Amino acid sequence: MKVLVTGGAGYIGSMVCIELLNEGHDVFIVDNFSNSEMGTITKIMGITGKMVQYANVDITDRTALEVIFRSYQFDSVIHLAGKKSVSESIENPLQYYYDNLIGTVMLVQLMQQYDVQSIIFSSSATVYHPASICPIQETATLKSSSPYGRTKLAIENFFRELTAAHSNFSVVLLRYFNPIGAHSSGEMGEKPLEVPNNLLPYLMDAVSGKRPILEVFGNDYDTVDGSGVRDFIHVEDLAKGHIKALYYSMQNTGCEAFNLGSGTGYSVLQLIDTFAKVNEIDVPYHIGLRREGDIPVSFADISKAQRFLGWRPNKTLEEMCIDAWRWQLKLLKEQHVEAQIVFPSKKTV
Ligand code: UDP
């Protein structure tokens, strides 16, 4: 198949491209490189030994995007391009609605115009009501608490209405839980060019001395140790879910949502402990206040994805931590930064 991957140079997009290429598909990447690097494309080709076509195009640039649609007949689109910071979305909702919503609408206009009827959309667990019962099923009430989350929800609603009106259209909504880890080759992983948003980049910054310490946002939740609980999923497992979704989309029309998580909840302190143990390194942290807007516990029911996509995650929390740190060390070397271990460590970096 020939697949257009928007945001294909990003953390998740690049892993999706590797999986697509490994499965023998042709990949065309569209990325504006606002939070990714062109070097990632070279790495994708290096890891897979396959050629990738790409264009430095913003999906809101309809004219540039149309040139691509006119030149290639895609079988499907995997749509990951968009902005993804909750805090930034509160400061700049206009940008979030413009990039995420308008970008998606333009993409779908072109898909219709050029007769592409399948799309896999990167949604998020943030679309679920904060008070959802865990494990969260896809049928749970949808209500997001940030502009970022509401752009995802608005796009989901748009796709539901679109498929109701156009019965030959196929949309798979993938609701990601908390992707972490890096490619098992050690060659690729998360490299946020903007301020990081998530726990693991902060944890690794604290371990490598880029930040003095990791702040754990609260230890007074009603959880196993008081810290927040999340569903961490290895990014490679997550990427494989996209391939399964692509095959599902080829066989089915309509709009269907699937959770992609590990199905297990681990606390922030359990993650820190595992990371320290498997990498034989100390993680400097202190307990801070709860972060506004955080929910105590979130983990997925993944039985729908198992049943209908035939997908199941394989990697353990230990593997996620090992791969993440291996990649971080490589990155530090690439950046010629000597890792400064601020707390006594068992292993010299
Ligand atoms: N977290 C933390 N310190 C940080 C960043 C995150 O303790 O510097 C906690 C956060 O409160 C939550 C968990 O880690 O319980 C996952 O946070 P993240 O922002 O990665 O994902 P989300 O909250 O969107 O699921």
Side-chain angles (χ1 to χ4, degrees):
M1 274 185 268
K2 188 149 191 79
V3 184
L4 175 69
V5 184
T6 74
Y11 172 48
I12 298 168
S14 55
M15 308 284 165
V16 170
C17 291
I18 290 175
E19 296 300 330
L20 283 169
L21 291 163
N22 284 343
E23 286 270 308
H25 303 297
D26 287 335
V27 171
F28 194 110
I29 294 174
V30 163
D31 205 300
N32 68 1
F33 299 98
S34 62
N35 195 27
S36 58
E37 290 183 339
M38 291 224 185
T40 304
I41 312 257
T42 319
K43 284 186 178 174
I44 294 171
M45 294 195 279
I47 290 170
T48 59
K50 307 248 175 79
M51 282 300 292
V52 171
Q53 288 170 297
Y54 75 96
N56 183 351
V57 161
D58 192 301
I59 53 160
T60 58
D61 183 347
R62 198 181 187 288
T63 312
L65 201 56
E66 179 157 12
V67 173
I68 299 163
F69 271 90
R70 208 182 298 132
S71 313
Y72 302 92
Q73 180 58 48
F74 297 113
D75 297 292
S76 182
V77 176
I78 301 185
H79 176 34
L80 303 104
K83 298 193 80 65
K84 60 173 187 179
S85 158
V86 169
S87 56
E88 199 183 48
S89 77
I90 295 165
E91 283 157 25
N92 196 352
L94 180 62
Q95 193 69 51
Y96 271 67
Y97 277 85
Y98 188 79
D99 283 5
N100 293 3
L101 265 165
I102 305 296
T104 304
V105 169
M106 283 185 185
L107 183 65
V108 172
Q109 273 183 338
L110 288 169
M111 287 176 64
Q112 276 203 328
Q113 199 175 323
Y114 289 89
D115 202 26
V116 185
Q117 288 168 350
S118 152
I119 184 165
I120 316 302
F121 173 61
S122 70
S123 189
S124 162
T126 192
V127 298
Y128 290 118
H129 193 292
S132 296
I133 310 277
C134 290
I136 304 175
Q137 295 184 333
E138 286 83 352
T139 48
T141 306
L142 304 179
K143 183 181 189 304
S144 193
S145 52
S146 71
Y148 159 71
R150 283 188 287 273
T151 65
K152 292 287 180 192
L153 200 45
I155 295 167
E156 284 205 2
N157 288 332
F158 161 61
F159 278 130
R160 273 184 281 273
E161 288 170 14
L162 191 81
T163 48
H166 303 282
S167 58
N168 50 359
F169 214 76
S170 173
V171 181
V172 180
L173 310 171
L174 297 179
R175 295 182 181 149
Y176 307 158
F177 278 69
N178 293 66
I180 61 169
H183 195 260
S184 45
S185 66
E187 293 298 317
M188 254 172 49
E190 190 166 19
K191 192 175 180 183
L193 301 180
E194 296 165 352
V195 181
N197 304 303
N198 300 110
L199 173 61
L200 213 70
Y202 277 113
L203 184 158
M204 291 194 295
D205 277 0
V207 174
S208 55
K210 281 196 199 165
R211 279 168 209 278
I213 201 156
L214 170 70
E215 183 172 354
V216 173
F217 297 140
N219 68 345
D220 55 354
Y221 290 111
D222 184 16
T223 61
V224 59
D225 51 27
S227 64
V229 167
R230 292 292 183 274
D231 182 331
F232 301 103
I233 165 113
H234 196 294
V235 66
E236 266 184 24
D237 278 333
L238 187 84
K240 289 188 167 82
H242 293 69
I243 312 304
K244 298 285 189 184
L246 176 66
Y247 298 152
Y248 175 90
S249 173
M250 291 295 127
Q251 305 290 330
N252 297 275
T253 54
C255 182
E256 211 58 60
F258 296 96
N259 289 337
L260 292 186
S262 69
T264 308
Y266 287 102
S267 76
V268 172
L269 289 173
Q270 284 172 331
L271 176 75
I272 293 173
D273 189 49
T274 306
F275 191 94
K277 246 187 221 131
V278 296
N279 293 310
E280 296 177 37
I281 204 156
D282 287 318
V283 178
Y285 73 88
H286 73 97
I287 307 292
L289 296 173
R290 289 182 180 192
R291 182 172 64 178
E292 207 188 317
D294 265 355
I295 51 171
V297 180
S298 166
F299 59 93
D301 181 327
I302 56 169
S303 53
K304 185 177 174 191
Q306 288 177 327
R307 181 160 166 224
F308 291 98
L309 302 183
W311 169 84
R312 67 177 59 244
N314 290 314
K315 304 236 179 200
T316 62
L317 189 67
E318 283 77 10
E319 288 170 294
M320 299 179 211
C321 292
I322 289 169
D323 288 345
W325 185 233
R326 188 198 294 120
W327 162 243
Q328 185 68 16
L329 288 177
K330 161 116 180 148
L331 203 56
L332 289 168
K333 271 193 200 123
E334 267 181 21
Q335 295 168 341
H336 305 292
V337 175
E338 279 295 308
Q340 306 284 318
I341 305 304
V342 283
F343 275 44
S345 70
K346 295 166 201 140
K347 198 163 152 185
T348 312
V349 179

